[in-house]
């Protein structure tokens, strides 16, 4: 076993030295390239994720909630834009040139993308086999991919045992999943929502539309259900990570964390983490923290997970600390034994404040204005660690963390870090540009710990009290230099890129009652460049008829939604995922 680990270190060291990435210089590119301009909801994408193969840093994958395969609003009742039962919404996109350009594969599965309907009443849609732009092999196994994408590259299981990057990485894609069948006896799992993981060892074939590229290991083509489910379990908000530094004694371990709601009504909801030591074939699950969810204590939520060069695993979430005046903090739990046991969560940053004001229609906080995009996961932590992947040789193990916290008037993008494996943390500092009102944020740090990249979505307009006034949403990418010296803090952040401004009123929940941008943005980094993805509404058109409908609901007036395809511009609802790649500005 020790000889196998040594060979893996030698091979990945050679890969690190020789696999130079393609020149990554495209600061602003469309990631969701398969998205049509209309109609709604086929033009709707949000909640992006991105990962880079540590052994081949020109290979990237992204995911999003992608409704490309849903029926159009004109199908059935023209005033409704429903999710078509059985149709998946977990989009996947690939880049093989360092993020300069992207491709979205087409597979086969349950689809309704050809169900466009006609003006006026018609028979509606039933999902059927056809082309899909989302993860394959769900419908064939009685499942529907249900969004909340999370992606990670790790080493492949090696012949004879262990793991290796010798032939590139294994891609893991975690997402929510639902049963296609309504009859309990025909369901693939218990409960409303589960966490499933798809895997491929051939990103090139998967990007080319070969659905068999996702058939891996003993599970064959079936996505692996990770979460243990009861009849009332609603698993939600998962994140995934693979230990990708061969210096780690747990090299190849895969970790998934999520909130395990005990009922569809959402409470209580302890945080769970599952670990796989065999490349995602089987999983062992643990509960982190308590399941309490009451006036005194909210459990951990909005999780993220990473590993350092020695294989220590770090799990983060945001939750209430009863002993600290019932305030919320960024909390951390650690494991030094490959995820077999975890420490009691402890606060590392805060207190944090959920920005926004409660929307009376959604019952969730919003920042940009009435009927706005929800902001309740804004304080959720996003984390990265300079673990020296793929070998761990040049790791600093600096941990960087970002989140959004503050008041309705001033929702700040905060950054904090630890240079001693989470023992102590810097005082959180606001790093957004002047005039930006943060929504979601995510950091990444280069494997050698020298560069920090940070992406965030922000509104550049104040809170709007009516739906008739324009609003402005933007994606921003920043960079800061970090020192190899643990004694030196990360430097000041400078702006690398500011995306085109869009009006978020042009985004929409499928119910049409509010805007919708999801819950996340994401970033990743190599030794030479950083990559970022964000929610973008530059190509979305505002619809006055929708504005009037939403305002009526805000006023407490009964209202009927408009027939979207007859009364709105074609590009209403056209939210996209944009991204960029940025060479180290201070090499």
């Amino acid at each position: 076993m020790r000889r196998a680990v040594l060979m893996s270190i030698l091979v990945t060291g050679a890969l690190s030295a020789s696999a130079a990435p393609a020149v990554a210089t495209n600061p602003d590119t469309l990631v969701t390239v398969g998205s049509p301009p209309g109609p709604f909801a086929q033009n709707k994408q949000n909640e992006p994720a991105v990962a880079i193969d540590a052994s081949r840093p020109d290979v990237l994958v992204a995911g999003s909630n992608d409704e490309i395969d849903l029926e159009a609003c004109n199908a059935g009742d023209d005033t409704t834009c429903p999710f078509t039962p059985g149709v998946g919404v977990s989009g996947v996109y690939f880049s093989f040139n360092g993020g300069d350009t992207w491709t979205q594969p087409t597979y086969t599965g349950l689809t309704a993308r050809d169900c466009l309907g006609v003006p006026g009443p018609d028979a509606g849609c039933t999902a059927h086999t056809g082309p899909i732009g989302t993860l394959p092999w769900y419908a064939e196994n009685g499942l529907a991919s249900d969004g909340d994408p999370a992606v990670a590259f790790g080493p492949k299981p090696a012949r004879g045992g262990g793991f290796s990057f010798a032939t590139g990485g294994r891609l893991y894609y975690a997402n929510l999943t639902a049963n296609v069948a309504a009859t309990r006896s025909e369901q693939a799992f218990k409960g409303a929502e589960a966490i499933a993981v798809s895997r491929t060892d051939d990103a090139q074939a998967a990007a080319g539309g070969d659905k068999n590229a996702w058939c891996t290991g003993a599970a064959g083509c079936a996505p692996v259900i990770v979460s243990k489910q009861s009849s009332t379990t609603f698993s939600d908000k998962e994140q995934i990570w693979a230990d990708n530094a061969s210096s780690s004694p747990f090299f190849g371990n895969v970790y998934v964390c999520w909130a395990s709601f005990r009922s569809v009504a959402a409470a209580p909801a302890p945080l769970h983490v599952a670990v796989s030591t065999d490349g995602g074939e089987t999983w062992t699950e643990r509960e982190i923290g308590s399941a309490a969810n009451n006036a005194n204590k909210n459990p951990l939520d909005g999780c993220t997970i990473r590993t350092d060069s020695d294989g220590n695993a770090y799990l983060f979430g945001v939750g209430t600390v009863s002993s600290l005046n019932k305030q919320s903090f960024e909390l951390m739990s650690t494991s030094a034994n490959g995820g077999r046991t975890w420490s009691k969560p402890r606060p590392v940053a805060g207190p944090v404040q959920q920005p926004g004001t409660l929307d009376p229609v959604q019952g969730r906080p919003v920042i940009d204005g009435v009927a706005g995009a929800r902001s309740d996961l804004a304080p959720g932590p996003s984390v990265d660690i300079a673990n020296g992947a793929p070998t761990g040789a040049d790791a600093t193990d600096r941990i960087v963390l970002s989140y959004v916290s503050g008041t309705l008037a001033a929702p700040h993008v905060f950054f904090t870090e630890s240079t001693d494996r989470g023992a102590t943390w810097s005082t959180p500092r606001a790093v957004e540009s002047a005039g930006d009102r943060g929504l979601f944020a995510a950091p990444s740090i280069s494997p050698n710990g020298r560069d920090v990249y940070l992406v965030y979505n922000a509104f550049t307009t104040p809170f709007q009290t009516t739906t008739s006034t324009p609003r402005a949403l933007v994606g921003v990418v920043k960079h800061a230099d970090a020192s190899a010296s643990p004694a030196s803090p990360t430097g000041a952040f400078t702006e690398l890129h500011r995306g085109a401004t869009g009006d978020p009123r042009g985004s929409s929940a499928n119910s049409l009652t509010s805007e919708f941008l999801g819950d996340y943005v994401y970033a990743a980094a190599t030794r030479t460049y950083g990559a970022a993805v964000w929610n973008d509404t530059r190509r979305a058109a505002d619809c006055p008829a929708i504005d009037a409908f939403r305002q009526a609901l805000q006023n407490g007036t009964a209202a009927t939604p408009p027939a979207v395809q007859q009364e709105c511009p074609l590009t209403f609802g056209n939210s996209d995922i944009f991204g960029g790649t940025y060479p180290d500005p201070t090499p």
Side-chain angles (χ1 to χ4, degrees):
M1 180 63 181
R2 292 175 63 189
R3 182 170 181 267
V5 171
L6 176 60
M7 288 301 293
S8 177
I9 292 173
L10 292 174
V11 168
T12 53
L15 283 168
S16 177
S18 63
V23 177
T25 58
N26 194 339
D28 193 275
T29 186
L30 180 65
V31 176
T32 49
V33 291
S35 171
F40 185 72
Q42 295 179 4
N43 57 4
K44 175 183 174 183
Q45 293 83 31
N46 50 71
E47 289 194 356
V50 70
I52 300 172
D53 186 340
S55 68
R56 299 177 298 174
D58 56 342
V59 178
L60 293 83
V61 66
S64 82
N65 296 338
D66 193 334
E67 299 185 15
I68 186 173
D69 299 317
L70 296 187
E71 64 193 70
C73 301
N74 268 357
D77 183 345
D78 293 0
T79 66
T80 63
C81 304
F83 288 92
T84 311
V87 173
V89 294
S90 296
V92 62
Y93 325 92
F94 295 89
S95 174
F96 299 96
N97 56 11
D100 280 356
T101 58
W102 292 83
T103 183
Q104 181 173 4
T106 299
Y107 305 115
T108 56
L110 283 182
T111 189
R113 63 165 64 180
D114 56 349
C115 189
L116 302 179
V118 296
D122 57 63
C125 289
T126 299
H128 55 279
T129 300
I132 60 171
T134 54
L135 289 175
W137 294 114
Y138 276 76
E140 295 88 339
N141 291 282
L143 303 169
S145 66
D146 234 10
D148 275 19
V151 291
F153 279 103
K156 298 176 184 178
R159 187 174 300 173
F163 291 87
S164 173
F165 271 127
T167 57
R170 169 170 286 188
L171 169 61
Y172 299 89
Y173 190 129
N175 67 153
L176 307 185
T177 186
N179 286 297
V180 171
T183 303
R184 179 170 296 181
S185 62
E186 297 176 346
Q187 292 180 342
F189 62 86
K190 296 179 180 179
E193 293 279 341
I195 307 300
V197 173
S198 297
R199 301 163 295 161
T200 179
D201 290 338
D202 192 341
Q204 194 81 49
D210 181 2
K211 65 188 295 186
N212 291 322
W214 293 92
C215 301
T216 302
C221 300
V224 178
I225 302 296
V226 174
S227 53
K228 293 180 180 178
Q229 298 283 130
S230 73
S231 59
T232 60
T233 301
F234 190 107
S235 300
D236 197 14
K237 301 177 183 176
E238 90 295 336
Q239 289 292 313
I240 192 168
W241 179 254
D243 190 332
N244 59 356
S246 57
S247 56
S248 164
F250 309 109
F251 180 53
N253 272 18
V254 190
Y255 301 84
V256 177
C257 61
W258 69 93
S260 182
F261 294 101
R262 297 289 173 82
S263 72
V264 177
L271 195 67
H272 281 215
V273 60
V275 184
S276 175
T277 61
D278 56 8
E281 297 285 340
T282 60
W283 298 81
T284 301
E285 186 175 332
R286 299 281 186 271
E287 183 173 307
I288 308 297
S290 68
N293 194 346
N294 51 48
N296 296 320
K297 184 177 178 64
N298 288 322
L300 285 171
D301 199 2
C303 71
T304 190
I305 194 163
R306 288 292 188 271
T307 52
D308 66 20
S309 62
D310 291 328
N312 298 302
Y314 302 78
L315 174 66
F316 295 82
V318 60
T320 303
V321 180
S322 299
S323 61
L324 295 175
N325 298 320
K326 304 175 186 176
Q327 298 179 96
S328 293
F329 288 80
E330 309 297 352
L331 303 173
M332 180 184 74
S333 177
T334 60
S335 174
N337 55 16
R340 291 192 295 274
T341 59
W342 295 83
S343 66
K344 181 180 178 180
R346 66 178 182 86
V348 298
V352 300
Q353 182 178 353
Q354 186 180 82
T357 186
L358 193 67
D359 185 270
V361 176
Q362 297 180 62
R364 305 176 81 157
V366 296
I367 296 175
D368 60 319
V370 297
R374 71 191 192 199
S375 60
D376 45 347
L377 207 61
S382 186
V383 177
D384 202 14
I385 301 178
N387 70 347
T391 68
D394 57 357
T396 65
D397 293 315
R398 185 184 294 258
I399 310 173
V400 294
L401 184 155
S402 69
Y403 56 93
V404 173
S405 175
T407 63
L408 175 64
H412 293 296
V413 176
F414 283 101
F415 174 84
T416 182
E417 61 187 331
S418 174
T419 59
D420 54 10
R421 300 178 188 267
T424 61
W425 291 79
S426 66
T427 301
R429 50 180 163 133
V431 297
E432 76 277 0
S433 296
D436 289 345
R437 303 172 61 246
L439 178 62
F440 307 124
S444 61
I445 187 167
S446 59
N448 61 1
R450 304 308 298 270
D451 295 279
V452 179
Y453 301 86
L454 187 143
V455 61
Y456 63 82
N457 265 136
F459 300 110
T460 59
T461 45
F463 185 87
Q464 302 297 302
T465 58
T466 73
T467 60
S468 61
T469 49
R471 308 167 186 189
L473 174 75
V474 70
V476 178
V477 182
K478 292 196 163 190
H479 168 270
D481 284 321
S483 172
S485 169
S488 300
T490 293
F493 282 88
T494 58
E495 195 168 292
L496 290 179
H497 179 68
R498 178 170 289 264
T501 300
D503 191 332
R505 292 180 303 162
S507 69
S508 186
N510 289 64
S511 64
L512 305 176
T513 58
S514 65
E515 303 165 12
F516 191 89
L517 298 172
D519 294 317
Y520 311 104
V521 293
Y522 224 88
T526 73
R527 289 168 178 79
T528 58
Y529 76 91
V533 288
W534 62 86
N535 301 291
D536 201 288
T537 56
R538 71 182 70 176
R539 306 197 308 168
D542 175 49
C543 176
I546 290 289
D547 294 339
F549 167 66
R550 293 173 179 172
Q551 188 65 56
L553 296 180
Q554 293 286 320
N555 297 340
T557 304
T560 300
V564 172
Q565 289 184 254
Q566 284 90 64
E567 300 183 55
C568 295
L570 172 68
T571 57
F572 168 74
N574 189 24
S575 55
D576 294 302
I577 306 306
F578 271 75
T581 47
Y582 310 92
D584 176 6
T586 55

